[in-house]
Amino acid sequence: MNVSFAMEMGVWFMARRSYTQPARRSVASIVQFHRWKSLLIIVPLIVLLIPTYRYLVDGFNFAVNAGSNVFPALSNFFYVMGDPKKDDTAETKPRPPFPYPAVLPVAGTITYTVAEGDSCNSVLTYQMNMNQAGTIFSDSKPETVAILNKAIGQDCHKLQPGMKLRLAPQYPLVALGGVVKKVELAATPQEKAVPTPTPLITIPKGATASDDEEEKKPDCAEGCKLTVQVGKQSQDTVTVFVYSSLTVEEGAWVWVQGQFVRQTVKNFPNYPYAQPGVTARNYLLQACYFQVDDQLDPDVRRCRSLEPNTIEDDGGSWLLAVGGAGGLNHWKYPVKVPDNTPVLLWLSSTDDGKLEYKPGNPIYRYEDNGQYVPFK
């Protein structure tokens, strides 16, 4: 019985061995197959992941750099939105906003040929719109006629047809635009501008530095002298005397029309002509039109109120100007003048005291010989 049991157990063991060994080999084969399959999958994945990783890293770095620029910009945007003063400072206009003209307005004369029956009085009246010619140059004051003879280049008592006369615009105005370089308080146009010392001001609690600065701004309602650069060169300046309710600060762009300085003649206080060939540089102008940046002062004194002039009697005034965005173009007269071209034009006086150019009014352009010729 024991032998029989042993034999049965041997048969059972052999049968079990013959059954499990192939199974073990099958499992090992499957594992080995899956290992190779995994390698076949993993290797291409690694090949793909390396550039993907680099791309992601580069993208991350780009995003970080972009964010470093975007977030400060956004922060600054909201900071400016919450601080109006900061906004004003950040958006200061470039100076100058218009190109300076290459030349300045210049005084000159018009050549006229004497016709039959002409007299000095009639020529000045009809050619230059000078209705007060007979009063300003009068035979009752022979010295005034002698000075006129010198100005026109002929003897008024001996005019003959064909003679050439030099005719100058009487009491001319000038149109300019430029940047304010200096602001000074002054009482009268003749007074030398002396800066007024600013008294010490005790700043109350809670006041800011800007409050103090506001106190120190010049008040031009009582009169100011402005040094204004009107040309490309630093010495291309004029001094403008103006009464204005507008705030005028250094760096502002101003538009001005004023009386061109006339030649000083002994014993002839109302001599009406400027010295031929003289430009507006370094001259003192009394403003009769005044604008600061985009603000026009409607209360500035009118040109016809300047003394002396003959605007009321003549029905208008002569104007010296230069074509261009920084000059004549600002006033939008219905005439096209090339840039950097000095011109002389007649402005008609309107019923409300304004001066305007009307189509058909005389207009001349300046030539280098000191003469104005008809503008075409």
Side-chain angles (χ1 to χ4, degrees), residues 2-23:
N2 291 335
V3 173
S4 176
F5 177 78
M7 290 179 65
E8 288 178 7
M9 289 296 294
V11 171
W12 178 83
F13 179 78
M14 293 297 291
R16 179 176 177 83
R17 184 178 180 185
S18 64
Y19 174 79
T20 56
Q21 194 169 10

Side-chain angles (χ1 to χ4, degrees), residues 9-51:
M9 289 296 294
V11 171
W12 178 83
F13 179 78
M14 293 297 291
R16 179 176 177 83
R17 184 178 180 185
S18 64
Y19 174 79
T20 56
Q21 194 169 10
R24 287 179 181 175
R25 280 200 295 265
S26 176
V27 171
S29 300
I30 291 171
V31 170
Q32 189 175 8
F33 171 76
H34 279 289
R35 283 177 181 173
W36 282 105
K37 189 176 181 181
S38 299
L39 288 174
L40 291 174
I41 295 173
I42 291 172
V43 170
L45 283 176
I46 292 173
V47 173
L48 290 173
L49 284 174
I50 290 174

Side-chain angles (χ1 to χ4, degrees), residues 140-176:
S140 62
K141 295 181 178 179
E143 66 277 11
T144 62
V145 178
I147 292 171
L148 176 61
N149 292 341
K150 185 177 179 180
I152 65 175
Q154 299 290 349
D155 186 340
C156 283
H157 296 107
K158 299 178 181 179
L159 292 187
Q160 297 292 328
M163 286 182 173
K164 303 291 184 182
L165 303 181
R166 299 189 300 264
L167 305 180
Q170 68 275 12
Y171 305 108
L173 300 177
V174 63
L176 298 164

Side-chain angles (χ1 to χ4, degrees), residues 45-344:
L45 283 176
I46 292 173
V47 173
L48 290 173
L49 284 174
I50 290 174
T52 304
Y53 171 77
R54 294 184 62 184
Y55 174 79
L56 290 174
V57 170
D58 291 342
F60 177 76
N61 290 335
F62 172 79
V64 170
N65 292 334
S68 65
N69 293 326
V70 170
F71 286 110
L74 288 174
S75 300
N76 184 64
F77 170 76
F78 287 109
Y79 178 71
V80 168
M81 289 293 290
D83 187 357
K85 286 186 180 178
K86 183 69 177 178
D87 183 52
D88 293 341
T89 304
E91 294 184 3
T92 51
K93 297 178 182 179
R95 303 296 183 188
F98 300 96
Y100 285 124
V103 293
L104 300 181
V106 56
T109 58
I110 301 164
T111 300
Y112 174 76
T113 302
V114 176
E116 188 69 38
D118 277 344
S119 66
C120 282
N121 187 39
S122 66
V123 169
L124 294 179
T125 300
Y126 294 108
Q127 297 302 318
M128 302 305 295
N129 298 314
M130 191 177 183
N131 294 325
Q132 292 294 309
T135 302
I136 296 172
F137 302 106
S138 172
D139 284 332
S140 62
K141 295 181 178 179
E143 66 277 11
T144 62
V145 178
I147 292 171
L148 176 61
N149 292 341
K150 185 177 179 180
I152 65 175
Q154 299 290 349
D155 186 340
C156 283
H157 296 107
K158 299 178 181 179
L159 292 187
Q160 297 292 328
M163 286 182 173
K164 303 291 184 182
L165 303 181
R166 299 189 300 264
L167 305 180
Q170 68 275 12
Y171 305 108
L173 300 177
V174 63
L176 298 164
V179 174
V180 177
K181 294 296 183 180
K182 191 175 184 181
V183 183
E184 298 175 290
L185 298 175
T188 65
Q190 292 75 28
E191 182 184 55
K192 203 168 187 179
V194 178
T196 304
T198 304
L200 292 175
I201 301 173
T202 303
I203 303 176
K205 270 189 172 182
T208 63
S210 59
D211 298 330
D212 187 31
E213 290 171 6
E214 192 70 29
E215 291 292 331
K216 293 180 181 180
K217 288 180 181 178
D219 182 5
C220 292
E222 300 299 323
C224 277
K225 275 189 177 182
L226 312 177
T227 301
V228 182
Q229 184 173 344
V230 294
K232 292 183 177 180
Q233 306 300 320
S234 59
Q235 65 268 28
D236 292 339
T237 62
V238 297
T239 301
V240 178
F241 182 85
V242 63
Y243 292 96
S244 177
S245 58
L246 300 179
T247 299
V248 187
E249 297 178 318
E250 292 182 9
W253 183 279
V254 295
W255 299 102
V256 179
Q257 284 190 18
Q259 194 173 71
F260 200 87
V261 174
R262 296 164 292 109
Q263 189 173 356
T264 301
V265 177
K266 188 177 180 181
N267 298 324
F268 201 162
N270 61 338
Y271 182 73
Y273 303 134
Q275 184 177 350
V278 173
T279 68
R281 179 187 294 168
N282 298 329
Y283 268 22
L284 173 65
L285 305 176
Q286 297 184 59
C288 56
Y289 174 106
F290 189 66
Q291 181 175 333
V292 181
D293 291 324
D294 298 327
Q295 286 187 293
L296 174 64
D297 189 345
D299 299 321
V300 76
R301 64 190 307 185
R302 296 295 178 89
C303 295
R304 62 181 178 181
S305 67
L306 299 177
E307 293 295 340
N309 73 74
T310 55
I311 293 176
E312 290 280 4
D313 295 316
D314 297 345
S317 176
W318 291 101
L319 179 73
L320 297 166
V322 175
L328 188 64
N329 294 9
H330 169 77
W331 284 270
K332 295 181 174 58
Y333 296 132
V335 59
K336 293 183 178 179
V337 176
D339 291 357
N340 301 314
T341 301
V343 290
L344 171 68

Side-chain angles (χ1 to χ4, degrees), residues 338-360:
D339 291 357
N340 301 314
T341 301
V343 290
L344 171 68
L345 60 159
W346 176 257
L347 301 181
S348 299
S349 181
T350 62
D351 292 337
D352 58 357
K354 296 180 181 178
L355 293 169
E356 62 180 24
Y357 180 83
K358 295 181 178 180

